[in-house]
């Protein structure tokens, strides 16, 4: 389920809107949630697999203010040879607008820190994460 | 001057390294510093001009740990019609490696929130910000 | 209702536990929630009343780790002449232990920043916030 | 040396002033600095000693705004049997006022998490941290 966050004073900066760095915390929240919901995360990490974010490309499209309710939608994007993308949207449910959309590129490494090829069982597990569906379309 | 930040416990997450969201605070620190150093920021904002970040594209290249000293290098990138880019690098002075590099795209709006064309006096002021110089080259 | 927060990587520091500064964000979350639930906050703030925290006395009693679920219990403590206390507890629902307990002293000021006497209508409104009930007792 | 922090947008909340949770990050900054400056912190932690904060009592006395420069003064307070206090002040150098003063009570534990008696060599090391001197007096 998409996590929901009510915007409080500490999320905002002097402009009164959510600060750009905070959105990355919202995105992290969303990523853990979608991973938890779709795969056996505990087992996965217990086997020494680690997620490392290597790139975030985030567009700030509209603003979120105190008392707004936002939700974070996350889903699988493109899967490459050694990296994959989780696409994410922060939706402002109060205004009906998308606040931010982001492509988060990550690698999966073994406990030694080496990025692994996304093939075989690893690829299968990753494909359990549902594809990203655009929130703007259906609402 | 490039701001320097000593990494403390509160900057890091359970992996022991600086969390991806924290880097955006380091970048914000660097942007204010380069703007302050190169233009009359107080006068600029007093006239109602506001900077709005519309996109951040950040690559995480290596890690920063507690007690590492990082510095943030910032400079002007491409200037477009209505938006411009500040390029930034977070350098880990302890390891000698670049931790993160980012392109931050912003618009300048008037007090009503309308993005302004980057021309005339506005363009002149913006051009006072020095071009980005790659930190890896000279060190 | 007591807000619940699932602990994620970005909440924790290099010790792997929630950093002491983060607890203050959890407390702020809890305070807004209890105020919202018990009084007409929008009307109150629309009339120019502001809450200002003047003291926080927080004890860290046990730890919260990634994947733990915590909840924040908040209620009215002592009401003084010009200040009042909201008592708060962060409960770790995963371990059953209290992570933190805090007394947050605040004043209510008018739009000019002057702390107001807590009497008459102001006192009545404040008394709508339920008294703090110790979470450890019933669980 | 007392660490100095220039207040930036991301430090502030919708009131335009530094948020109460941020002060705890400033305090953490100050504590590491005073420990680093007065003892061999690396050796100390390498021997498995850990600092755990058990209580923070912070009073918010005046405000800090964007572009203000604050500094954090820290020094030893009372030393008890198993816990000790670091006293701290956040001084707003722009306004000349103290923003916040805090007593931070901590224990020192061994690598197993057991709080140690502050006696013998441990007490000697701790006493290397200079006593707190009130910043308001001399300025």
């Amino acid at each position: 389920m998409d996590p929901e966050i009510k915007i409080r004073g500490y999320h905002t900066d002097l402009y009164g809107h959510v600060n750009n760095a905070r959105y990355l915390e919202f995105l992290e929240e969303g990523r853990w949630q979608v991973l938890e919901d779709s795969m056996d995360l505990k087992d996965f990490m217990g086997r020494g697999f680690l997620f490392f974010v290597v790139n975030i490309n985030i567009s700030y499209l509209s603003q979120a203010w105190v008392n707004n309710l936002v939700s974070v939608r996350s889903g699988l994007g493109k899967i490459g040879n050694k990296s994959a993308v989780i696409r994410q949207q922060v939706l402002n449910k109060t205004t009906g607008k998308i606040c931010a959309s982001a492509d988060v590129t990550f690698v999966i490494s073994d406990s030694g820190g080496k990025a692994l090829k996304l093939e075989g069982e690893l690829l299968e597990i990753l494909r359990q994460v549902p594809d990203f569906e655009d929130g703007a379309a259906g609402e």
Side-chain angles (χ1 to χ4, degrees), chain A:
Chain A
M1 223 191 56
D2 298 345
E4 296 192 343
I5 298 144
K6 180 127 187 202
I7 306 305
R8 303 296 188 182
Y10 68 90
H11 291 121
T12 66
D13 63 18
L14 78 164
Y15 290 142
H17 66 191
V18 175
N19 182 271
N20 62 59
R22 280 285 173 186
Y23 280 100
L24 265 58
E25 297 187 357
F26 296 172
L27 296 181
E28 186 175 334
E29 183 67 42
R31 287 197 302 280
W32 287 119
Q33 191 66 50
V34 78
L35 291 175
E36 253 181 31
D37 288 349
S38 54
M39 57 188 276
D40 187 343
L41 195 57
K42 225 170 198 169
D43 173 70
F44 189 74
M45 300 193 80
R47 289 160 66 190
F49 294 122
L50 290 169
F51 293 93
F52 278 106
V53 171
V54 295
N55 181 273
I56 296 179
N57 188 336
I58 180 169
S59 291
Y60 300 97
L61 304 170
S62 76
Q63 302 180 57
W65 310 92
V66 164
N67 288 328
N68 287 178
L69 187 71
V70 304
S71 73
V72 187
R73 181 168 306 206
S74 308
L76 207 53
K78 214 176 49 175
I79 300 181
N81 190 31
K82 279 198 171 180
S83 68
V85 170
I86 289 186
R87 311 204 76 172
Q88 303 192 271
Q89 268 180 350
V90 180
L91 309 166
N92 189 331
K93 300 187 98 166
T94 307
T95 64
K97 291 185 183 170
I98 297 170
C99 295
S101 74
D103 274 5
V104 179
T105 307
F106 62 98
V107 297
I108 296 174
S109 74
D110 58 22
S111 56
K114 199 175 148 293
L116 299 166
K117 275 207 175 175
L118 301 178
E119 60 187 9
E121 194 206 355
L122 209 55
L123 185 58
E124 252 174 72
I125 293 174
L126 204 58
R127 284 227 170 104
Q128 294 174 348
V129 180
D131 286 343
F132 180 76
E133 284 180 52
D134 196 313
E139 296 187 39

